[in-house]
Amino acid sequence: MTMITRRSFLKYSAGAGAMLTLPSALRQAFAATAKRGMLTKYIQPLPLPGAGIVVATPSGLNQYAFIQREIARQLHPSLPPTPLWAYDDGSGLAGQAGSLGMAVVARSGTPLDITFTNHLPEKYPAWIPVDTRLTPLGNNVRLMTHLHGGFVNADSDGNPAITPNGFGRGETQTVHYSNQLPQMPASLLWFHDHGLGTTRLNVFAGLAAAYILRDEFDTGLEPNPIGIPGGPYEIPLVIQDRQFNSDGTLLYPTSEIEGATWIGEYFGDVMVVNGKVWPFLNVEPRMYRFRILNGCNARILNLDVGGPKLWQIGAEGGLWDIPVPVKSLALAPAERADVLIDFSKFAGQTLTVLNHKPRSPISTPAPELPQVMQIRVGTTVSQPGPSSIPSSLPGRAANLGSPVATRYITLNEIDPGEVEWFLNLNGTHFEAPVTETPKVGTIEDWVYVNMTGDTHPMHSHLVTFQVVGRTPFDAEAYESAYGTSSGVPGGIDPTPFATGPTEPPDPTERGFKDTVKANPGQFTTIRAKYDLPNGVSAPQTYVYHCHIVEHEDNDMMRPFTVIP
Ligand SMILES: [Cu+2]
């Protein structure tokens, strides 16, 4: 096996266009299926909670019982109904309009007990191409739900280090979500499937839903003590790119490399927002709150609403202490932004939400997909709402104390374009023994050392973290010094290879986060406190991984254990 990182792979490619940086197998698959012009944009309304998105009904006091099952929904008037995998709260999902259809609304501080029962087929259908080299049980459908952003015990985490085989047809996963403070403040989380080697496919098929935590300040109503929009003026936006076959089924391309099915990244040629293709949203000329989640498999978004100013008030770890003005929102898969937008000066105008190519140092091989949705601003206000952006918020900036340890985690890509192509952390595989063992209650710095040519959104279970900064470094010199056939092993400080000072986090990284962009040419330092939920004792094992779910599945994921 030769070591060719994406970095050196890029050097060998002849041109600079985005398509040229795609591995040939994926490039061909994309070209063969591109038909984005066939679906008319902005002809169907955005699904909202209670109007196209089902707000889950509890099965008892602080209890929910979900069934994962197959449904079919028309995602665009020109498409036949699309088979989808969905979380059914027992309602039968008659109120679900699109491919993302469920939202749990919970209260910070009040735990929930939830069951997920698998009623999906025994085997994967033809539209979901499994690469059986990556799965524990071949082509059998195995599910496992993870609460992304959850502070929970390892057994409730939906955790492939604990339950590698997941849950088969007829089996039930039972979880306890602590919703404990301060780790789980009012915030937008999401739960999605985390099956080992099939996360990319199970999420693509539809197994993803919103999880909204409220508290006495962030009530979701209007007025509220924070002075931010609520009720119908708070809009969740879950953005996902998809491809479709002409029969309405979702299309997931397979590799053209002989012996491989897995592809390096899934990029759609159609944008789906809250489960509908290229929707529109009618708004009043007043202030709104948008809760935005990048739910794409691999696409890094760079969103622009085309005129009004954006004020970001929070991210993955909840509200900040102050609002921050932002020009455009660069969100990698799984990143979230809580944003205020005032449309009062845009009465009667039609705005298009655009997705620009992310700016350097963010790097992605995604073909461009510029249109997201339309916002139509009306001329009358039925309820005025807040008249100004609040000067302060009841949230927090991330500001942890000194770390007791620093760990160096390398991000490697091996043999791109070959049948053996995989990505890894620390030059090893997921199944290798645990090497990261933070002591419970301590603060650690983790340094993500990117040896590839692309940005990887690194997500950790259990903890939210502070972004400390990013340092430019000479990746080639570091690789020459320490590289092996499976990449650079973990644990080696890249500081001697730094080529400039550490840059502070972006203003949009003010608060606690659970996913961070690790860009090429940099090492990215994050800081977290490894507490466990009340009543849960160490050791507890979790995972951390790239949230480009194709990378996570092959094999950019590692366990870590919080030890006594
Ligand atoms: Cu990655």
Side-chain angles (χ1 to χ4, degrees):
M1 184 183 289
T2 54
M3 183 191 176
I4 307 171
T5 63
R6 175 64 67 81
R7 166 170 297 277
S8 40
F9 179 69
L10 281 180
K11 271 191 309 204
Y12 301 143
S13 54
M19 292 300 275
L20 286 171
T21 65
L22 281 174
S24 61
L26 177 55
R27 195 160 66 227
Q28 286 161 25
F30 194 88
T33 60
K35 47 176 168 292
R36 70 181 70 166
M38 289 169 59
L39 297 175
T40 311
K41 298 179 185 72
Y42 319 134
I43 57 170
Q44 48 186 354
L46 178 77
L48 294 170
I53 296 175
V54 178
V55 178
T57 300
S59 57
L61 182 65
N62 301 319
Q63 290 178 346
Y64 291 87
F66 288 106
I67 290 167
Q68 293 116 324
R69 66 183 186 90
E70 186 164 310
I71 61 171
R73 291 291 179 274
Q74 198 173 15
L75 307 192
H76 187 276
S78 302
L79 284 173
T82 298
L84 300 165
W85 289 5
Y87 295 105
D88 187 346
D89 60 347
S91 65
L93 299 180
Q96 173 168 341
S99 59
L100 185 128
M102 185 57 64
V104 167
V105 181
R107 198 169 170 85
S108 189
T110 303
L112 293 183
D113 290 291
I114 303 185
T115 58
F116 297 95
T117 301
N118 176 355
H119 282 194
L120 286 165
E122 204 113 15
K123 303 281 180 192
Y124 277 95
W127 58 279
I128 306 180
V130 178
D131 192 322
T132 52
R133 299 173 303 165
L134 309 179
T135 56
L137 294 168
N139 195 37
N140 291 296
V141 174
R142 309 299 296 186
L143 302 180
M144 188 162 50
T145 306
H146 165 60
L147 177 61
H148 183 121
F151 182 65
V152 305
N153 66 74
D155 221 15
S156 291
D157 186 42
N159 183 325
I162 303 285
T163 317
N165 290 346
F167 298 85
R169 183 176 167 81
E171 294 179 345
T172 297
Q173 176 187 2
T174 301
V175 298
H176 177 78
Y177 292 161
S178 78
N179 296 336
Q180 187 183 313
L181 287 164
Q183 287 84 359
M184 295 181 71
S187 53
L188 169 65
L189 286 67
W190 59 315
F191 57 102
H192 63 76
D193 200 78
H194 212 303
L196 182 59
T198 53
T199 293
R200 71 194 185 288
L201 302 169
N202 295 346
V203 171
F204 154 84
L207 291 177
Y211 189 95
I212 301 166
L213 281 171
R214 302 290 190 189
D215 66 13
E216 71 270 32
F217 300 104
D218 184 359
T219 59
L221 305 173
E222 190 178 293
N224 53 65
I226 311 176
I228 57 175
Y233 305 100
E234 177 187 324
I235 311 284
L237 293 179
V238 180
I239 303 170
Q240 299 175 299
D241 57 339
R242 291 289 183 263
Q243 296 182 46
F244 291 93
N245 294 303
S246 52
D247 67 356
T249 51
L250 291 165
L251 170 59
Y252 194 103
T254 54
S255 177
E256 296 197 351
I257 301 167
E258 202 178 333
T261 304
W262 175 85
I263 56 171
E265 288 99 11
Y266 174 80
F267 296 118
D269 52 12
V270 167
M271 210 66 105
V272 174
V273 189
N274 293 359
K276 287 282 196 187
V277 172
W278 280 311
F280 69 84
L281 172 68
N282 289 321
V283 300
E284 297 179 4
R286 52 152 282 169
M287 198 192 296
Y288 278 75
R289 178 187 188 187
F290 288 89
R291 317 288 302 269
I292 308 171
L293 160 66
N294 181 342
C296 297
N297 276 31
R299 181 178 292 278
I300 300 173
L301 301 168
N302 185 18
L303 302 172
D304 165 8
V305 293
K309 213 169 176 178
L310 309 181
W311 288 87
Q312 189 168 351
I313 59 172
E316 293 99 276
L319 290 169
W320 300 339
D321 52 342
I322 53 166
V324 169
V326 288
K327 284 206 159 59
S328 62
L329 282 171
L331 294 174
E335 285 190 306
R336 281 94 80 199
D338 197 343
V339 176
L340 303 184
I341 303 178
D342 189 352
F343 296 108
S344 59
K345 294 194 174 66
F346 295 84
Q349 294 191 30
T350 295
L351 307 169
T352 304
V353 179
L354 293 175
N355 171 43
H356 300 294
K357 190 176 158 58
R359 278 191 292 270
S360 173
I362 298 171
S363 172
T364 168
E368 291 193 33
L369 185 56
Q371 284 100 350
V372 179
M373 61 179 285
Q374 206 172 60
I375 297 176
R376 298 174 185 168
V377 189
T379 52
T380 53
V381 174
S382 50
Q383 185 180 324
S387 56
S388 61
I389 304 290
S391 55
S392 68
L393 301 162
R396 47 185 187 156
N399 189 12
L400 291 170
S402 298
V404 300
T406 301
R407 298 180 192 272
Y408 302 98
I409 315 285
T410 54
L411 282 52
N412 301 289
E413 178 165 26
I414 310 299
D415 292 345
E418 308 290 321
V419 68
E420 302 86 3
W421 179 8
F422 78 117
L423 298 101
N424 72 46
L425 300 173
N426 290 342
T428 188
H429 284 277
F430 175 66
E431 290 79 9
V434 174
T435 44
E436 278 64 58
T437 53
K439 195 168 181 305
V440 64
T442 64
I443 294 169
E444 291 198 354
D445 276 2
W446 287 24
V447 181
Y448 291 123
V449 188
N450 190 340
M451 304 307 299
T452 81
D454 294 323
T455 296
H456 300 270
M458 293 301 298
H459 168 54
S460 184
H461 290 209
L462 181 70
V463 293
T464 52
F465 48 75
Q466 174 184 350
V467 180
V468 175
R470 296 180 175 85
T471 313
F473 80 119
D474 185 342
E476 272 131 31
Y478 181 73
E479 182 182 308
S480 313
Y482 301 111
T484 73
S485 62
S486 55
V488 178
I492 306 168
D493 185 356
T495 306
F497 300 89
T499 55
T502 299
E503 295 151 18
D506 189 81
T508 61
E509 295 171 322
R510 180 175 187 83
F512 283 93
K513 289 179 63 63
D514 64 34
T515 306
V516 65
K517 295 178 215 60
N519 300 314
Q522 299 179 325
F523 53 89
T524 301
T525 304
I526 62 166
R527 181 168 297 169
K529 186 159 188 267
Y530 289 84
D531 283 323
L532 291 172
N534 294 337
V536 177
S537 50
Q540 297 280 318
T541 295
Y542 301 89
V543 297
Y544 67 103
H545 57 84
C546 177
H547 218 289
I548 290 175
V549 280
E550 283 73 29
H551 295 182
E552 167 187 342
D553 279 344
N554 186 23
D555 195 26
M556 213 171 207
M557 175 164 69
R558 287 284 294 151
F560 71 93
T561 300
V562 179
I563 60 167

